[in-house]
Structure formats: structure tokens, C-alpha cells
């Protein structure tokens, strides 16, 4: 079973969402309690220079063997988004309870979703660009040929511009093990979201995710993934429903000072 858990968590603590050390420790602990196999340490990217002032925060990820854990925090909006995609089975309720304890959120206002990625389908759930944060495409691709690290790197570099996203990192590409790897994985962080690819050497299939921060023409997914192979499964779900209305009615003075300080420092560089 290839399980994908998605949590859109609202009503979180602003200071915790802005604490890089806390997010780093949280990812390390989450991997441990779920008994998953990380292939790299947490990678954390502060994001304090976006076009939308409410969208500052932290993006972070850990690559797993055949999957990933990502978290994107929005301190001013008091919310965060988590994805857990793993080749091993794990208890998604443990993940939910762990996050509720370590990065508390209001359960009744939040959204919890789980997909079995081993089940193929073409379900396209409704997406409304006027009130949803972004579409999340979960795609399975039958690869034409075995990709190498350079090919996945170049593909992600080009894809972000094809869908008009703003990359905030270069692609990160890694084999699951140095010798006889099961997976070749790649991920790129775009403005407060991500795109990830996991190629299975055994099945010759790529499990792909585009978690977008903004609308794009997802009807052309087969065309987008054509350089990698044939799309055999593709599902769409909305993330951050009513996200834009979740901003506090009064933005705290502390949050504005943080945003202004970071933007000022960036201009000096």
C-alpha cells in the first residue's frame, strides 16, 4: 500500500509556526513515531518575501524511501499544511494525534484526508480558485525509460515555469540508498508548496505530486508529464479550502514587524 495523508490544519499557534527549530524537531519526531525510513535530514526553507504579505512562513521536507513528508506553515494565517506519502504502511491517526499535540490546531476547523495511491483512478474533485489555496494533483506515470538524476532535476526546473510557479529552491534529487536503491526521488519547493517525484526501479513507475500554491491548467497533466512517460492515474483534490478567509481579522503587530524586518534585510543584500 502506498498511503498519502493530507492535513490542512487551522487555528495553530503563530509563534510555533514561525519557529524553525520547532519545525525541524517536529519532522524528526514524526518520522520516528510513524516508523518510516528517511533518506535525508529535514530541509527547511524560510519564506518571508512573497507577493502576498500573509503568505510568509516556513516550508520543510524530509525525503523517505519512496515518499516524503512536507510541511508548509503560514504564521499570519495561523495554519499549516502537511503531506505524508510513504511506501510503508503507517497509522495516519498517530500522525494526526502527534501533530495535534506538537503543533496544536483546531481539529473541528481542519481538514483530514487519506488516499491509497496504489489504487488507480481519475477522480477530479471540485476546485474553486476563488476560495481554495491550490489544487493538489496526485499522478502515477508509467515511465518510458529509467530516468537518471539529471533528467529529474531538469524536468522539475522546467516544470515550475510551465505552470507559472515561483521556485524558492533548486531541485533536490536523491537515491534511496547508495547501492541497489529502490527509489529515485526528486523534490522542488515552490512558493509555500512543492512538486515531488518518486521513481520505483522495480515497477518502473513514477509517483508524482504537484501541490500548487496557485491555480494552473491541470487539464494538461498528460502533456506536462509526457517527457517522463504515460499518465495511468491522476487525481485532483483541493487544499486549503476557504484559505483566503482564514486570515485573522486583525494581523498582529508582531507578525507585521517580522515580515517588514525580513523584507528590509533582503533589500540590503
Amino acid at each position: 500500500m502506498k498511503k498519502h495523508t493530507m492535513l490542512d490544519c487551522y487555528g495553530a499557534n503563530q509563534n510555533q509556526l514561525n519557529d524553525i527549530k520547532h519545525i525541524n524537531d517536529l519532522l524528526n519526531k514524526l518520522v520516528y513515531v510513524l516508523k518510516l525510513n528517511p533518506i535525508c535530514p529535514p530541509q527547511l526553507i524560510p519564506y518571508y518575501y512573497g507577493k502576498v504579505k500573509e503568505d510568509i512562513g516556513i516550508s520543510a521536507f524530509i525525503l523517505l524511501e519512496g515518499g516524503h513528508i512536507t510541511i508548509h506553515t503560514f504564521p499570519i494565517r495561523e495554519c499549516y499544511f502537511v503531506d505524508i506519502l510513504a511506501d510503508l504502511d503507517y497509522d495516519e491517526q498517530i500522525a494526526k494525534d502527534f501533530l495535534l499535540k506538537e503543533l496544536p490546531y483546531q481539529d473541528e476547523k481542519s481538514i483530514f484526508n487519506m488516499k491509497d495511491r496504489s489504487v488507480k483512478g481519475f477522480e477530479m474533485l471540485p476546485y474553486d480558485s476563488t476560495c481554495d489555496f491550490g489544487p493538489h494533483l496526485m499522478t502515477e506515470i508509467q515511465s518510458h525509460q529509467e530516468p537518471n538524476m539529471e533528467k529529474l532535476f531538469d524536468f522539475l526546473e522546467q516544470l515550475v515555469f510551465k505552470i507559472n510557479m515561483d521556485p524558492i529552491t533548486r531541485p533536490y534529487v536523491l537515491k534511496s540508498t547508495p547501492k541497489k536503491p529502490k527509489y529515485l526521488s526528486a523534490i522542488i519547493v515552490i512558493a509555500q508548496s512543492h512538486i515531488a517525484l518518486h521513481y520505483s526501479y522495480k515497477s518502473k513507475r513514477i509517483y508524482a505530486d504537484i501541490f500548487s500554491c496557485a491555480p494552473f491548467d491541470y487539464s494538461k497533466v498528460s502533456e506536462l508529464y509526457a517527457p517522463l512517460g504515460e499518465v495511468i492515474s491522476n487525481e485532483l483534490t483541493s487544499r486549503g479550502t476557504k484559505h483566503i478567509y482564514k486570515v485573522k481579522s486583525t494581523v498582529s503587530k508582531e507578525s507585521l514587524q517580522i515580515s517588514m524586518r525580513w523584507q528590509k534585510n533582503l533589500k540590503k543584500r
Side-chain angles (χ1 to χ4, degrees):
M1 179 179 184
K2 203 165 186 66
K3 184 181 291 186
H4 192 155
T5 300
M6 294 161 276
L7 296 103
D8 300 352
C9 303
Y10 293 100
N13 180 275
Q14 190 175 96
N15 291 327
Q16 284 186 314
L17 294 176
N18 217 21
D19 187 337
I20 289 182
K21 184 179 183 301
H22 184 69
I23 301 301
N24 180 83
D25 293 345
L26 181 143
L27 283 175
N28 278 321
K29 291 176 183 177
L30 182 56
V31 169
Y32 177 77
V33 299
L34 294 180
K35 300 178 182 178
L36 299 176
N37 297 325
I39 61 173
C40 73
Q43 307 295 309
L44 295 102
I45 305 98
Y47 183 70
Y48 295 104
Y49 44 86
K51 298 175 183 177
V52 181
K53 67 178 182 180
E54 292 87 5
D55 287 350
I56 66 169
I58 299 166
S59 283
F61 67 86
I62 287 182
L63 287 178
L64 309 171
E65 187 172 58
H68 59 265
I69 300 178
T70 59
I71 181 169
H72 305 285
T73 77
F74 295 79
I76 293 177
R77 296 183 186 271
E78 295 186 330
C79 66
Y80 64 97
F81 301 87
V82 174
D83 283 84
I84 307 169
L85 173 62
D87 194 29
L88 299 175
D89 193 14
Y90 61 88
D91 190 334
E92 62 272 16
Q93 188 62 45
I94 290 177
K96 184 180 178 182
D97 293 342
F98 172 84
L99 290 168
L100 194 58
K101 177 183 177 182
E102 298 293 330
L103 197 56
Y105 57 90
Q106 295 181 27
D107 194 16
E108 67 279 3
K109 292 184 179 180
S110 301
I111 301 169
F112 176 80
N113 193 7
M114 197 279 288
K115 293 280 187 181
D116 181 356
R117 297 285 296 270
S118 63
V119 177
K120 298 177 183 57
F122 287 87
E123 183 181 14
M124 306 296 279
L125 297 178
Y127 169 71
D128 185 349
S129 62
T130 63
C131 60
D132 295 329
F133 174 55
H136 188 156
L137 279 178
M138 293 167 281
T139 310
E140 187 174 348
I141 304 158
Q142 184 65 58
S143 182
H144 295 320
Q145 59 184 10
E146 183 177 297
N148 56 30
M149 299 176 80
E150 184 178 9
K151 181 172 182 177
L152 293 190
F153 183 98
D154 290 343
F155 176 80
L156 287 180
E157 287 257 282
Q158 296 164 15
L159 180 62
V160 290
F161 295 105
K162 288 181 180 179
I163 61 175
N164 298 315
M165 296 295 127
D166 296 322
I168 59 175
T169 68
R170 304 294 299 279
Y172 190 99
V173 187
L174 197 64
K175 291 182 178 181
S176 56
T177 56
K179 296 181 179 180
K180 295 183 179 180
K182 293 182 179 180
Y183 286 93
L184 174 62
S185 294
I187 190 169
I188 187 169
V189 178
I190 51 183
Q192 288 296 72
S193 43
H194 64 272
I195 304 173
L197 305 168
H198 303 285
Y199 173 75
S200 167
Y201 287 101
K202 181 178 181 179
S203 67
K204 303 186 187 305
R205 291 178 180 172
I206 298 172
Y207 295 90
D209 286 282
I210 300 178
F211 177 14
S212 172
C213 53
F216 68 96
D217 188 359
Y218 48 79
S219 67
K220 297 182 179 179
V221 64
S222 295
E223 180 181 323
L224 291 174
Y225 285 127
L228 298 180
E230 179 187 358
V231 171
I232 59 174
S233 180
N234 187 56
E235 297 193 41
L236 170 72
T237 188
S238 298
R239 302 296 299 272
T241 300
K242 310 300 180 185
H243 173 74
I244 197 165
Y245 303 114
K246 298 280 182 182
V247 183
K248 292 192 304 180
S249 57
T250 302
V251 178
S252 72
K253 184 182 295 184
E254 179 185 4
S255 297
L256 288 175
Q257 288 174 343
I258 291 171
S259 179
M260 291 171 65
R261 187 162 58 246
W262 273 91
Q263 291 181 30
K264 184 177 181 181
N265 289 338
L266 283 166
K267 290 179 180 178
K268 290 180 179 179
R269 296 176 184 176

